[in-house]
């Protein structure tokens, strides 16, 4: 059975490593492959990418995409021209734990018991597309991040008052039917970033999307056992779809130290591998699969109104069509332990300022920290992938005395992350 929402837990036991299977060299994708790859960095953007491809042959899909769309208040207007969007642009993805009737049986007490209250935004990602030269940075925000939540206006005009200290995953509930707008406003206020685009995907949406694409192969360095999500998987490569994909994305007790920060890096591994699946011949050369993905997108995503225009989707496509895997960077928003509650986290304001300054500078980003603040993944050594994972901050990332430093901006070591070009594997809680 899939887990209910729960606070950060105790550490999982450390374990040994299993040999990891070698993966083939990735080919250089064409323009539409690049679009699919870049927009795949978050589930909602995967949905958008499917619609943008289908819009050329099935405009009705894009029209239906507008059903249930949400206005984002206080954000910059979207340019009307067909050319690529100028300047940097941000897109927010919120993943929520809606108890949709057709899927509620999978989720136990979260949908039928004492925990069945409100729809929470448990996944929150800001996708930043830079100005030319184009780069993509995906910032994941912990659901238990304690922060101010602005006042939120419901569709019937009622207003939820602002609060100075609430967990981020309460924002969607505070906004009612306009929950997506409330999440966007909260993250915009926290980061100082303008967010003109947003999309929401539910638990059921994850199930349907992974089914439409035929599953995603993930890597497990150590076996995962988590009774909260119903996982009992051995180490190795595993193709997951449907409910298994959702179990993998939601497992927390089964990876790393058992906390939400480890789960974030595990989700980033999934998204990176999803991107690779989308640019493979298995997907891009199969019109039936692309159309199925687009149709599933229409049925399983709630977009902002700004994201429903096919012209806008083409603009985004033109902006990101040549971004290589090395320039797609996944990072976790920097946090420290909350001084009032050890099961929560608080913003690391100095490190966050360095992150936004790096994005503003629009130079290549170098990661100096670990792949996961919660030990949720390990990085595979590309020179010897069948032997052992490596520390992503191992010697060689920084210049030694007498050497010329690598160009770009090096993020503080307190900001964990990985690139789409790196191969990571889940650090499960079962020894090898």
């Amino acid at each position: 059975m899939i887990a209910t929402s729960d606070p950060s837990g105790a550490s999982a036991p450390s374990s040994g490593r299993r040999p990891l299977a070698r993966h083939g060299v990735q080919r250089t994708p064409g323009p539409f492959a690049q679009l699919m790859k870049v927009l795949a960095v978050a589930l909602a953007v995967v949905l958008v990418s499917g619609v943008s491809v289908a819009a050329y042959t099935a405009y009705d899909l894009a029209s239906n995409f507008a059903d249930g769309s949400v206005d984002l208040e206080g954000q910059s207007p979207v340019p009307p021209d067909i050319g690529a969007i100028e300047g940097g642009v941000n897109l927010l993805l919120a993943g929520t734990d809606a108890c949709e009737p057709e899927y509620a049986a999978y989720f136990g007490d979260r949908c039928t018991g004492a925990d069945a209250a409100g729809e929470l935004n448990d996944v929150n990602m800001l996708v930043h597309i830079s100005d030319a030269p184009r780069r993509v940075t995906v910032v994941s925000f912990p659901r238990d991040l304690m922060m101010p939540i602005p006042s939120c206006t419901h569709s019937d005009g009622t207003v939820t008052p602002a609060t100075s200290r609430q967990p981020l995953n309460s924002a969607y509930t505070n906004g009612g039917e306009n929950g997506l707008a409330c999440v966007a406003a909260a993250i915009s206020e926290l980061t100082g970033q303008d967010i003109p685009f947003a999309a929401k995907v539910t638990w059921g949406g994850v199930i349907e999307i992974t089914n439409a694409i035929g599953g995603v192969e993930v890597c497990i360095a150590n076996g995962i056992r988590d009774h909260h999500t119903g996982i009992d998987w051995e180490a190795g490569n595993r193709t997951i779809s449907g409910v298994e994909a959702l179990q993998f994305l939601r497992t927390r007790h089964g990876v790393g130290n058992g906390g939400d920060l480890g789960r974030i890096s595990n989700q980033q591994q999934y998204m990176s591998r999803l991107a690779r699946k989308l640019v493979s011949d298995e997907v891009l050369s199969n019109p039936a699969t692309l159309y199925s993905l687009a149709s599933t997108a229409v049925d399983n995503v709630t977009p902002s109104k700004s994201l429903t225009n096919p012209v806008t989707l083409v603009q985004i496509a033109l902006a990101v069509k040549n971004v290589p895997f090395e320039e797609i960077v996944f990072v976790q928003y920097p946090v420290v332990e909350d001084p009032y509650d050890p099961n929560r986290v608080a913003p690391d304001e100095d490190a966050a300022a360095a992150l936004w300054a790096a994005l503003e500078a629009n130079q290549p980003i170098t990661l100096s920290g670990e792949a996961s603040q919660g030990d949720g993944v390990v990085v595979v050594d590309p020179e010897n992938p069948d032997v052992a994972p490596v520390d992503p901050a191992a010697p060689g990332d920084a210049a030694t005395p007498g050497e010329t430093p690598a160009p770009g901006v090096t993020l503080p070591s307190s900001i964990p992350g990985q690139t789409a070009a790196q191969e990571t594997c889940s650090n499960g809680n079962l020894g090898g």
Side-chain angles (χ1 to χ4, degrees):
M1 182 171 292
I2 293 178
T4 62
S5 296
D6 50 4
S8 298
S11 297
S14 60
S15 53
R17 310 295 190 198
R18 290 272 188 97
L20 306 176
R22 184 185 300 270
H23 287 71
V25 176
Q26 297 295 315
R27 64 181 177 85
T28 301
F32 274 119
Q34 290 282 15
L35 164 63
M36 298 295 284
K37 173 193 67 179
V38 174
L39 298 188
V41 295
L43 288 175
V45 193
V46 172
L47 307 180
V48 174
S49 71
V51 173
S52 64
V53 172
Y56 289 98
T57 57
Y59 191 93
D60 60 316
L61 287 179
S63 299
N64 293 337
F65 193 49
D67 293 345
S69 58
V70 176
D71 271 321
L72 300 182
E73 298 180 4
Q75 303 300 329
S76 299
V78 179
D81 297 333
I82 191 66
I85 291 174
E86 295 182 358
V89 67
N90 295 312
L91 185 151
L92 172 72
L93 163 68
T96 68
D97 61 357
C99 291
E100 298 152 301
E102 59 269 45
Y103 310 106
Y106 294 124
F107 308 128
D109 289 346
R110 178 61 186 91
C111 293
T112 60
D115 292 332
E119 184 175 352
L120 304 175
N121 49 299
D122 277 349
V123 175
N124 305 275
M125 300 176 183
L126 185 66
V127 181
H128 175 77
I129 303 170
S130 74
D131 194 3
R134 300 291 184 176
R135 300 181 174 91
V136 176
T137 307
V138 184
V139 184
S140 295
F141 296 80
R143 64 172 192 169
D144 293 328
L145 176 63
M146 300 301 291
M147 55 181 279
I149 304 295
S151 63
C152 302
T153 304
H154 295 225
S155 58
D156 63 1
T158 60
V159 177
T160 301
T163 58
S164 61
R165 178 181 152 81
Q166 287 291 326
L168 172 58
N169 73 340
S170 67
Y172 192 90
T173 299
N174 286 359
E177 300 84 351
N178 290 331
L180 180 61
C182 191
V183 178
I187 291 182
S188 180
E189 183 175 289
L190 173 70
T191 63
Q193 299 288 306
D194 190 44
I195 304 176
F197 305 110
K200 181 198 83 166
V201 63
T202 64
W203 280 346
V206 173
I207 291 172
E208 297 302 330
I209 293 159
T210 54
N211 283 337
I213 201 174
V216 175
E217 184 184 70
V218 296
C219 173
I220 303 172
N222 298 292
I224 299 174
R225 182 174 295 155
D226 180 5
H227 73 271
H228 294 275
T229 54
I231 291 180
D232 190 356
W233 298 346
E234 296 181 353
N237 294 329
R238 184 183 185 96
T239 298
I240 56 175
S241 62
V243 173
E244 280 198 350
L246 184 60
Q247 289 173 310
F248 182 80
L249 290 168
R250 299 197 68 240
T251 187
R252 194 197 73 184
H253 297 279
V255 295
N257 63 11
D260 190 48
L261 303 185
R263 171 165 51 189
I264 284 176
S265 57
N266 201 50
Q267 292 169 344
Q268 291 173 340
Q269 184 223 157
Y270 174 89
M271 290 184 294
S272 178
R273 290 171 182 272
L274 177 61
R276 293 171 185 242
K277 176 66 177 285
L278 283 173
V279 302
S280 68
D281 289 336
E282 184 178 348
V283 174
L284 286 178
S285 63
N286 190 328
T289 299
L290 285 177
Y291 191 86
S292 174
L293 178 61
S295 300
T296 303
V298 169
D299 294 336
N300 290 280
V301 69
T302 300
S304 60
K305 291 189 185 305
S306 58
L307 204 56
T308 60
N309 188 338
V311 171
T312 300
L313 300 176
V314 174
Q315 290 177 310
I316 295 174
L318 293 173
V320 302
K321 66 179 181 179
N322 293 319
V323 178
F325 280 117
E326 291 77 8
E327 297 289 0
I328 302 174
V329 181
F330 301 92
V331 298
Q332 176 205 293
Y333 181 80
V335 297
V336 296
E337 183 178 301
D338 181 59
Y340 306 102
D341 186 345
N343 291 324
R344 307 287 186 180
V345 294
D348 182 340
E349 295 181 355
D350 289 342
L355 172 61
W356 306 127
L359 297 186
E360 179 68 23
N362 192 19
Q363 295 182 357
I365 288 176
T366 298
L367 299 170
S368 65
E370 297 180 350
S372 173
Q373 189 172 352
D375 200 27
V377 296
V378 293
V379 180
V380 179
D381 182 352
E383 299 299 324
N384 199 6
D386 296 322
V387 175
V390 297
D391 181 349
D397 288 348
T400 57
E403 291 183 338
T404 301
V409 178
T410 298
L411 294 181
S413 60
S414 58
I415 300 179
Q418 61 191 75
T419 73
Q422 286 179 297
E423 186 171 341
T424 61
C425 297
S426 302
N427 185 21
N429 57 357
L430 299 181

